[in-house]
Amino acid sequence: MIRSGNPALKESTFLDLGSGTVVSRDADAMTLNGTVNKTGILLLLAVLTAAFAWSQTLTPTGEVAPGASLYLWGGLIGGFILAMITVFKKTWAPVTAPLYALVEGFFLGSISAIYSHLYQGIVMQAVMLTFGTLFALLLAYRSGLIKATENFKLGVVAATGGIALVYLATIVLGFFNINIPLIHESGLIGIGFSLFVIVIAALNLVLDFDFIETGVEQGAPKYMEWYGGFGLMVTLVWLYIEFLRLLAKLQSRD
């Protein structure tokens, strides 16, 4: 059936939990154009709040403002909470997905401003690489160069889970002032790790494309357009952050 490395997009999304059958709607069914439009709206909302957070994070002299952490952590935690609500209450996606985009924008704008302060020109490079990767993989998927086979899905899901465990261990150990060596540094191992994570994040886009296409073919309910756009945005945010981390590592070596 359907499998995605993105935790927001999974097989049970299109299943009726009571009967175990695929949810289908005729009049108000999910469409590809509708999903694309909803994704565009979510990205626009995120850009709007990101621009505001950017202006509040940096002072007129280009320094990081004292209250920058409010937008950074508020956006990160608020976005995570809204993402979890959306995952477990899919029918709320028409409301929670836009809210997620708005709140996540605060995090993206703040962290982007901080990276821009530390590394000149890094943000525009990360944005171009993110959307370049999106369109390149979309073209490869539509042309049949990349196919989301069952083994492909299993491999990406396994790798994504492994990366999640590494990041979770990093957070937990950080509370005890313990750092995982090498992978988060600017050495060759750290750069190699970032490249690996970027590849896995990019391959998750392929699974998301397949998931959305399958939902359209099976006549998923209309609200799944918002949910599909939300899931795709989750992957794009992850990919963008990983590009920022990689570019920062590369510039710190100069």
Side-chain angles (χ1 to χ4, degrees):
M1 285 289 294
I2 311 167
R3 190 189 306 275
S4 173
N6 188 334
L9 302 178
K10 55 185 179 180
E11 179 177 347
S12 61
T13 298
F14 297 136
L15 300 181
D16 180 85
L17 297 181
S19 64
T21 59
V22 176
V23 177
S24 180
R25 299 291 187 274
D26 294 327
D28 297 321
M30 179 183 185
T31 66
L32 185 58
N33 287 338
T35 305
V36 171
N37 292 337
K38 302 302 189 299
T39 304
I41 292 172
L42 295 179
L43 290 174
L44 177 60
L45 292 175
V47 168
L48 291 176
T49 51
F52 176 78
W54 179 297
S55 67
Q56 298 300 307
T57 299
L58 295 180
T59 65
T61 59
E63 299 298 319
V64 177
S69 59
L70 175 64
Y71 296 97
L72 180 66
W73 290 105
L76 180 62
I77 296 173
F80 176 77
I81 292 173
L82 285 166
M84 291 297 98
I85 293 174
T86 307
V87 168
F88 289 105
K89 289 289 186 179
K90 302 173 184 64
T91 55
W92 294 5
V95 175
T96 57
L99 289 176
Y100 164 80
L102 288 169
V103 174
E104 193 71 12
F106 289 121
F107 165 71
L108 293 173
S110 181
I111 196 171
S112 296
I114 294 172
Y115 268 103
S116 178
H117 170 69
L118 297 174
Y119 307 99
Q120 190 69 25
I122 192 175
V123 171
M124 184 55 64
Q125 295 174 24
V127 169
M128 293 177 64
L129 286 170
T130 299
F131 284 98
T133 302
L134 170 65
F135 292 120
L137 285 177
L138 179 58
L139 179 62
Y141 175 75
R142 296 298 294 175
S143 64
L145 292 177
I146 298 180
K147 296 182 179 179
T149 64
E150 191 64 22
N151 288 335
F152 178 91
K153 295 175 185 179
L154 288 173
V156 174
V157 169
T160 302
I163 292 169
L165 289 176
V166 171
Y167 281 160
L168 179 61
T170 300
I171 294 172
V172 173
L173 292 175
F175 289 119
F176 302 97
N177 294 321
I178 301 175
N179 296 321
I180 298 180
L182 301 177
I183 63 173
H184 299 301
E185 299 173 2
S186 59
L188 292 178
I189 295 179
I191 291 174
F193 176 75
S194 288
L195 287 172
F196 172 75
V197 174
I198 286 173
V199 169
I200 299 303
L203 293 179
N204 269 276
L205 289 173
V206 176
L207 302 192
D208 296 342
F209 298 152
D210 180 70
F211 177 88
I212 292 171
E213 184 177 54
T214 303
V216 171
E217 292 175 351
Q218 294 183 347
K222 195 69 173 178
Y223 65 81
M224 293 304 299
E225 292 178 353
W226 285 106
Y227 193 81
F230 156 76
L232 187 57
M233 186 172 174
V234 168
T235 304
L236 288 175
V237 169
W238 177 28
L239 184 61
Y240 170 71
I241 296 300
E242 294 301 336
F243 271 126
L244 279 179
R245 289 165 56 84
L246 173 62
L247 292 171
K249 288 178 181 180
L250 292 174
Q251 286 201 24
S252 64
R253 290 173 60 87
D254 296 340

